[in-house]
Amino acid sequence: MTINSNSMQEHDFTLLLDGLQSITPELEEAIFKSGCDDATLSLRFGRLFLTFSRTASSLREAIVSAVLAINGCGFGLRVLRVDVCNLVTQSEIARKIGRSRQLVHQYMIGVRGPGGFPPPACNITENAPLWYWCEVAYWLWSNDLISQDVLQEAQEVAVVNSVLDLEHQRQIAPELTKEIMQSLFLCK
């Protein structure tokens, strides 16, 4: 998806919801009236989610406006996260950039490309390490392998999800979240 801040474009994304586990006509009406007439409400595995096709000047603007609308619609409904995982496998990286898994592996071990591929973020002791997509996207963009638009989307979604994840933790474990944030000098 191309982002051009000077023009309006359609952005497709899905928001995972928290607070309810069933769809009612009243909920659908509240979501529609909150400004989400460009979304489809669904339920899967006990999780409500909204799939959007929202017109905005950027993906970030589209997501933020949707989150604010949902959080304000009532029913105790909150946005949990954008349904995009920042952790990716080697195969997912290859799929995202339209290259072979073998080429991505060569980037990772420094046989191809300029070197300096980001190290895995987790599962490093397993046979299935995971990388942060936003770090990989930055490396790819720095080496002219993806556009700045793709990098920007990766970074924006990662930050939005980080903020939503922190807010979710504040809701379910407020004291623990506060203690840990204070311990890490992130707030007073």
Side-chain angles (χ1 to χ4, degrees), residues 40-58:
T40 301
L41 180 63
S42 303
L43 175 68
R44 188 163 191 203
F45 302 118
R47 173 73 64 198
L48 287 173
F49 61 96
L50 280 164
T51 304
F52 284 84
S53 259
R54 180 157 285 209
T55 302
S57 60
S58 69

Side-chain angles (χ1 to χ4, degrees), residues 166 170 176-188:
L166 178 59
R170 284 184 187 179
L176 177 61
T177 304
K178 182 179 178 181
E179 287 172 21
I180 291 175
M181 289 182 69
Q182 286 174 338
S183 296
L184 295 174
F185 305 107
L186 296 175
C187 74
K188 297 184 183 214

Side-chain angles (χ1 to χ4, degrees), residues 147-171:
S147 70
Q148 184 170 1
D149 295 342
V150 174
L151 169 63
Q152 184 176 343
E153 285 184 8
Q155 291 173 328
E156 290 174 350
V157 170
V159 171
V160 166
N161 277 340
S162 292
V163 170
L164 291 171
D165 287 343
L166 178 59
E167 183 56 28
H168 180 67
Q169 291 306 316
R170 284 184 187 179
Q171 295 289 324

Side-chain angles (χ1 to χ4, degrees), residues 32-150:
F32 183 84
K33 285 183 176 179
S34 73
C36 296
D37 56 348
D38 54 354
T40 301
L41 180 63
S42 303
L43 175 68
R44 188 163 191 203
F45 302 118
R47 173 73 64 198
L48 287 173
F49 61 96
L50 280 164
T51 304
F52 284 84
S53 259
R54 180 157 285 209
T55 302
S57 60
S58 69
L59 177 61
R60 176 176 49 185
E61 180 186 307
I63 291 171
V64 168
S65 67
V67 169
L68 292 173
I70 293 304
N71 287 348
C73 82
F75 288 85
L77 199 60
R78 290 185 322 272
V79 175
L80 186 61
R81 63 182 295 108
V82 180
D83 190 22
V84 173
C85 188
N86 191 34
L87 293 170
V88 292
T89 64
Q90 179 178 326
S91 295
E92 289 168 321
I93 294 167
R95 182 185 53 76
K96 284 178 177 281
I97 65 171
R99 305 284 167 86
S100 72
R101 199 173 63 79
Q102 181 179 2
L103 178 61
V104 171
H105 180 72
Q106 291 172 342
Y107 288 154
M108 289 173 176
I109 63 173
V111 173
R112 300 271 308 263
F117 196 87
C122 62
N123 292 350
I124 199 162
T125 60
E126 312 269 328
N127 285 331
L130 298 171
W131 287 261
Y132 285 127
W133 170 240
C134 57
E135 288 181 0
V136 171
Y138 182 79
W139 184 88
L140 292 165
W141 171 78
S142 296
N143 293 291
D144 295 322
L145 297 169
I146 62 170
S147 70
Q148 184 170 1
D149 295 342
V150 174

